[in-house]
Amino acid sequence: MDSQFSHKKSDEGSALGAPTEWKGYSALSSSPRPDVLRIRYVQASDFLQAGESDAPHILAIIGHGSGNSVSAIGKGLSIDVNLPQLSQPPLLEVWRSSAPVWCDQVQDIRLAFTDEVVFGCLEVPESSGSVLDDVARAAYERIINYCARSGYAHLLRMWNYFPGINQEQQGLERYRRFCLGRHQAFSNYHKELAPILPAASAVGTHGGPFQVLFLAGKQPGIPLENPRQISAYEYPPIYGPKSPSFARATLHRTSTGCQLFVAGTASIVGHTTQHHGDPTKQVVETLSNIDAILNRVCCECPELLPTEPSEGLLKVFVRNQADLHSVREALEGHECGRGPILYARGEMCREALLVEIEGMWHLSLMPH
Ligand code: 3EB
């Protein structure tokens, strides 16, 4: 491990005002306590009152929509994503760990980490002369390099947010430029991408920097593909000069169970967009894709209890606010739609896609 990239927990502990946690941590590192991640949507108003007590265990608080008060909270990472929430009440996405958390910053990447995982955020303003493939390549190289050198070598989940996703930039759509730069960065570090690609989302904002959020771990995740869809990294070149570098899902094992991260999922079968102009049918098709992934997990990991689709945490990106009602009706009539859901306005990477759904599930091990 590179000393420039290894974190000094003692300094960070005091920076967080939690030196007692740091002492506890050194005692624990010989017999590690299971590091369980819990991700919840919390009403912003409740969180501000009740969230203080376990602040040393908060990895990240993510607010959707500009003008959020997230940055005032100041525990773990505070991240504002410029995708306005479409439903009430305003929710915060809160990532907690059962293990103590430290914060750091390495080459503009903001970081919050435990002994097992790191949550990071890199925001890069685009200058007027730049093209997005260059911006994305440089950002990804920085993140991949940080992960390799810090020991959190395995990317588990990534989110990409940037403006004008369907707009052309010097003759090529910005999403395709993004895919090109991301692909170049990954292939500079890895001969074979399929085994190392994380689940991801790519959503268009209405302004702001190129923003990448990521979760990485010391242990590798297990990438999963969807039998109903061609792997995104094998899409034919009609969708751009380099195919999108992500897995349909990543399964992350911990000592107490598994976390399943399902990538942004849309109304695509094979590699083809289905149900142009029909948000209801797009939701139903998307849910069939998510079901197929959940079923695959059950088959491939018999040691895990079967997944209840309703026990996941869903995030739904809707392109046009006018479709929100149809999207909600279609989703909330389905088993998947009975759990907590955050709706946000955002643009999908193909113009014909009106909705995209991602999810996270915590899976328990079968009792012996
Ligand atoms: C798709 O299946 C829909 O480029 O990182 C979904 C999730 C999509 C992630 C990405 C793209 C990405 O191709 C689009």
Side-chain angles (χ1 to χ4, degrees), residues 127-131 170:
S127 60
S128 51
S130 63
V131 280
Q170 295 186 22

Side-chain angles (χ1 to χ4, degrees), residues 83 159-163 165 175 201-205 317 345-349 356 358:
L83 298 164
W159 294 264
N160 305 279
Y161 303 122
F162 53 89
I165 192 166
Y175 175 65
S201 303
V203 182
T205 63
F317 298 108
R345 185 157 53 81
E347 292 168 358
M348 286 75 244
C349 60
E356 186 171 304
E358 60 174 58

Side-chain angles (χ1 to χ4, degrees), residues 160 175 178-179 182 200-202 229 232 235 244 246 248 263-266 268 349-350 353 356:
N160 305 279
Y175 175 65
F178 159 72
C179 286
R182 173 174 60 177
S201 303
Q229 298 183 303
Y235 280 170
F246 70 97
R248 297 297 180 189
T265 306
I268 295 173
C349 60
R350 295 185 191 179
L353 292 173
E356 186 171 304

Side-chain angles (χ1 to χ4, degrees), residues 143-353:
I143 291 169
I144 296 166
N145 193 33
Y146 160 74
C147 289
R149 297 171 86 166
S150 66
Y152 299 91
H154 306 280
L155 284 161
L156 302 169
R157 181 68 171 95
M158 302 186 86
W159 294 264
N160 305 279
Y161 303 122
F162 53 89
I165 192 166
N166 302 129
Q167 281 165 22
E168 284 213 350
Q169 188 172 40
Q170 295 186 22
L172 187 63
E173 188 194 40
R174 278 165 58 80
Y175 175 65
R176 298 177 180 208
R177 287 200 175 271
F178 159 72
C179 286
L180 179 59
R182 173 174 60 177
H183 185 274
Q184 288 167 333
F186 273 125
S187 6
N188 283 345
Y189 284 82
H190 300 279
K191 270 203 193 112
E192 215 193 323
L193 298 194
I196 61 94
L197 292 179
S201 303
V203 182
T205 63
H206 281 186
F210 175 76
Q211 186 181 41
V212 185
L213 281 56
F214 64 93
L215 179 75
K218 289 189 180 168
Q219 299 302 321
I222 302 166
L224 295 169
E225 291 303 302
N226 184 342
R228 301 183 84 235
Q229 298 183 303
I230 289 179
S231 295
Y233 50 79
E234 287 173 352
Y235 280 170
I238 48 168
Y239 299 106
K242 286 292 172 190
S243 49
S245 312
F246 70 97
R248 297 297 180 189
T250 304
L251 194 60
H252 181 230
R253 284 165 191 263
T254 68
S255 38
T256 57
C258 263
Q259 206 93 41
L260 176 69
F261 299 105
V262 173
T265 306
S267 178
I268 295 173
V269 177
H271 57 73
T272 312
T273 304
Q274 311 288 313
H275 317 298
H276 288 241
D278 189 331
T280 301
K281 286 188 179 163
Q282 288 202 7
V283 169
V284 173
E285 197 72 71
T286 301
L287 292 174
S288 300
N289 280 331
I290 292 177
D291 270 341
I293 292 170
L294 295 178
N295 287 331
R296 175 155 271 204
V297 175
C298 286
C299 298
E300 290 197 4
C301 310
E303 70 279 22
L304 294 172
L305 286 170
T307 328
E308 288 299 330
S310 61
E311 282 170 8
L313 198 65
L314 297 189
K315 198 178 295 169
V316 181
F317 298 108
V318 183
R319 182 185 287 273
N320 304 311
Q321 181 148 16
D323 292 338
L324 178 65
H325 182 74
S326 329
V327 167
R328 280 189 91 143
E329 229 172 39
L331 181 56
E332 289 167 20
H334 184 282
E335 216 204 321
C336 248
R338 290 200 212 120
I341 307 175
L342 190 152
Y343 294 90
R345 185 157 53 81
E347 292 168 358
M348 286 75 244
C349 60
R350 295 185 191 179
E351 278 192 289
L353 292 173

